[in-house]
Amino acid sequence: MATAVRSSKKALTLCLFQSLAGVIFGWSNSEGGGLFSMSAYQRRFGTCDAAGICALSTTRQSAITGLLSVGATIGAVGSGTVASKLGLRTTCMIFIAIYLVGAAIETSAMTTYGQICVARLLTGLGVGATSGLVPVFQAEASPPRYRGLVTGSFQLCVTLGIWGVSMTNWGMSKYDGDVSWRITTGLQMVWAALLLIGFLFSPESPRFLAKKGRWEACQKNLANLRDLPIDDPAIAEEMEEVRAATIKDQERGNARYAECFSPKDRILWRTMIGILVQIGQQVTGINFFFSYGVQFAQTAGLDSSYVFQIILASVNVLFSFPGILAVDRAGRRPVLLWGAGLMFAGQIIVGAVSKAHPDSKVAGDVLIAFTCVFIASFASSWGPVAWVVCGETFPIRLSNLCVTLGTGANWLFNLIIAFAAPQIQAKIGTGITFVWAGCLALSFAFAYFCIPETKGMSIEEVDALYLSRTPAFRSSKFKADQTVTEKRANEKHYARSTHTEGGHAKPSEQSSARTSAEV
């Protein structure tokens, strides 16, 4: 037991530190909601009329928000191929450097709107790549019993990034000068620099080294992650598992994106689950509230729109903790199903109340309360669990490629929502919540019929679950059924062995008796 605790501590520390990638994800994706309402930002990058009144058009808001998603989609999908050649650690460090360049350009922007666009595209490349690769590294490096906790911590850091940028925007909104928005954009470089330092101290993925045939380095890094001597029996045992899986993968040749869509071994099915669970996370409407929450509050008639944003961000952080704990205790499926149901109720109530009583103070309070219910339900369910499901669904050989496809889908729908949501809200106001409610109903059905329960399983056991074609709604019993089947098989083998030995004993005894009689 002491060895297990010791072998988990270092891997957990490194993997949790890498979750800082979630901070830059949340920060970059949500900063616009506050910046767009700052007068100094509007003067710099908006358009001014003859009276000197400046504003940032919805088209420019959508472009600034959407270009991050364009870069992130490209970074997420493209980084999988790069990581297959250079490794997870090296690839992440390259894209973090690209992110830092983009953040520096954004912070130093003067009056050129195009400069902001270029900066957002570059930061998007960095965010997209790290959001796709970090969960893969965490799924490979973390002990199976803690994989849900570790991978779910990525979403916790996303919520911390959203909360941090909301607090910063609120604090800086009191200032009229350029410092109001430069502080917000500049702080993202701090989190990226810390993430880069974390990767400098992290070893390369042992499984990547195994794919390259660098077995000594693989064993050394595995021992480093487990904080055990290189000749420890536990390291030897895990190395055998890695070696067997690697040899099996090498027999199939180099991984290609085309294989992610192959029906063999149910890879296509698994790819679609990874893609759809990430799309499901987006179409809940969560990023609409954090990208355009200030504008939504103004549309709903709330006075303190920045405070509304802080309330939502605080609820998001607070309820991420029960979600991270529940994913390894209650399981993936129950958390997803309950979360979708509660979010659906929250969106329906918010839309109905705001439409029925648009100017009522009581209605405003109800809107805040049930928007918080929606945010809390997301933070404790689809927020962390979507990353967990996507990170553990695929065989090691294809995980880089398949996970980045799922992350790319996440960012693609983020892009679609960034451009479409402001236009939809301009026409139907707070009725946009009914759109999210319809998407949530579909997400509930998808989770029930398609996403299996993988709580406590190793990556190899997850692979066996999919190959068994067990229906998702019966998957929670798969591991127990496998144990029972294996036990029965061992009992039958033992019985046959005993019977065979008994059968051979009688002739031997008869021979001995004859020999004695002859003597």
Side-chain angles (χ1 to χ4, degrees):
M1 183 63 70
T3 302
V5 173
R6 183 187 175 198
S7 67
S8 299
K9 186 177 180 181
K10 188 165 187 176
L12 283 173
T13 302
L14 290 172
C15 289
L16 290 172
F17 199 91
Q18 288 168 359
S19 289
L20 280 173
V23 173
I24 64 173
F25 181 124
W27 192 283
S28 300
N29 200 36
S30 303
E31 67 177 16
L35 297 182
F36 296 158
S37 298
M38 293 181 179
S39 56
Y41 197 85
Q42 292 172 345
R43 287 195 300 269
R44 287 272 181 184
F45 309 110
T47 53
C48 303
D49 59 20
I53 299 175
C54 303
L56 203 65
S57 66
T58 55
T59 301
R60 288 200 171 190
Q61 290 182 34
S62 296
I64 293 172
T65 304
L67 280 168
L68 178 85
S69 300
V70 171
T73 303
I74 297 170
V77 176
S79 61
T81 302
V82 179
S84 296
K85 296 179 180 179
L86 302 181
L88 291 169
R89 175 178 177 270
T90 303
T91 304
C92 282
M93 291 173 68
I94 291 171
F95 279 95
I96 293 169
I98 293 173
Y99 178 90
L100 284 167
V101 171
I105 293 173
E106 183 179 7
T107 305
S108 62
M110 299 305 290
T111 57
T112 305
Y113 165 66
Q115 189 175 350
I116 290 291
C117 293
V118 171
R120 294 286 285 177
L121 189 65
L122 290 175
T123 53
L125 287 171
V127 170
T130 53
S131 64
L133 297 179
V134 165
V136 176
F137 186 97
Q138 292 176 325
E140 290 186 9
S142 60
R145 63 179 296 191
Y146 296 116
R147 193 172 61 245
L149 168 68
V150 169
T151 313
S153 69
F154 180 88
Q155 178 63 25
L156 172 62
C157 284
V158 173
T159 68
L160 288 172
I162 294 170
W163 181 83
V165 79
S166 298
M167 291 295 292
T168 305
N169 280 336
W170 171 69
M172 301 313 297
S173 66
K174 302 173 183 177
Y175 297 88
D176 189 52
D178 288 337
V179 68
S180 62
W181 63 271
R182 290 195 196 277
I183 291 293
T184 300
T185 57
L187 279 174
Q188 60 189 329
M189 290 189 284
V190 176
W191 318 129
L194 289 173
L195 178 62
L196 184 62
I197 292 170
F199 270 102
L200 286 172
F201 286 97
S202 297
E204 182 54 85
S205 163
R207 287 173 173 81
F208 168 77
L209 296 172
K211 291 176 187 176
K212 298 298 181 181
R214 298 168 57 186
W215 295 106
E216 290 184 7
C218 173
Q219 187 170 4
K220 180 180 177 182
N221 283 15
L222 189 60
N224 186 6
L225 279 171
R226 300 294 179 253
D227 198 21
L228 292 170
I230 197 168
D231 57 351
D232 190 279
I235 298 300
E237 181 179 350
E238 192 165 355
M239 275 297 297
E240 285 304 312
E241 294 177 2
V242 173
R243 192 183 301 274
T246 303
I247 292 173
K248 183 179 178 181
D249 289 342
Q250 287 175 341
E251 291 173 354
R252 301 179 181 181
N254 295 326
R256 297 167 298 167
Y257 271 113
E259 288 184 69
C260 298
F261 302 96
S262 169
K264 185 178 180 181
D265 294 337
R266 306 198 78 195
I267 298 300
L268 174 60
W269 176 253
R270 293 152 79 168
T271 298
M272 295 313 299
I273 287 177
I275 289 174
L276 290 174
V277 76
Q278 290 287 351
I279 292 175
Q281 188 192 69
Q282 282 299 311
V283 298
T284 59
I286 188 66
N287 278 332
F288 166 77
F289 283 96
F290 288 120
S291 295
Y292 301 106
V294 173
Q295 291 72 22
F296 175 80
Q298 292 169 349
T299 301
L302 300 181
D303 296 328
S304 303
S305 54
Y306 278 103
V307 174
F308 173 71
Q309 192 80 339
I310 290 172
I311 292 172
L312 297 189
S314 300
V315 171
N316 197 24
V317 173
L318 181 64
F319 281 87
S320 292
F321 290 99
I324 291 172
L325 295 174
V327 69
D328 277 328
R329 296 185 180 183
R332 282 60 164 159
R333 283 175 53 81
V335 173
L336 288 173
L337 294 173
W338 276 102
L342 289 172
M343 282 190 285
F344 175 84
Q347 293 283 37
I348 289 291
I349 293 172
V350 167
V353 170
S354 61
K355 283 294 184 182
H357 306 283
D359 300 317
S360 168
K361 184 181 182 303
V362 175
D365 293 339
V366 172
L367 183 146
I368 292 174
F370 279 92
T371 301
C372 287
V373 169
F374 164 76
I375 297 294
S377 302
F378 174 86
S380 56
S381 60
W382 284 77
V385 179
W387 294 105
V388 175
V389 171
C390 196
E392 67 185 10
T393 295
F394 311 105
I396 294 297
R397 178 170 169 271
L398 294 173
S399 59
N400 287 356
L401 304 181
C402 293
V403 172
T404 51
L405 282 175
T407 309
N410 181 302
W411 282 106
L412 178 61
F413 270 75
N414 195 340
L415 169 63
I416 293 170
I417 291 169
F419 278 103
Q423 317 302 328
I424 297 173
Q425 182 179 255
K427 293 184 178 181
I428 64 175
T430 55
I432 194 171
T433 58
F434 295 124
V435 176
W436 309 131
C439 294
L440 282 162
L442 293 175
S443 296
F444 181 94
F446 161 68
Y448 182 81
F449 290 107
C450 300
I451 298 179
E453 183 56 70
T454 52
K455 179 182 70 172
M457 294 185 183
S458 68
I459 298 295
E460 290 73 22
E461 287 172 331
V462 173
D463 195 45
L465 168 62
Y466 278 100
L467 292 176
S468 72
R469 297 182 176 272
T470 301
F473 48 85
R474 291 176 53 193
S475 58
S476 58
K477 298 180 179 179
F478 174 78
K479 194 170 181 179
D481 291 345
Q482 289 289 99
T483 303
V484 171
T485 301
E486 185 177 347
K487 182 179 178 181
R488 287 176 179 173
N490 290 336
E491 289 174 350
K492 289 181 179 179
H493 177 74
Y494 176 77
R496 285 196 300 268
S497 175
T498 304
H499 178 73
T500 302
E501 289 176 2
H504 285 305
K506 291 179 180 179
S508 175
E509 291 172 359
Q510 291 172 354
S511 176
S512 298
R514 283 194 300 269
T515 303
S516 300
E518 290 170 358
V519 171

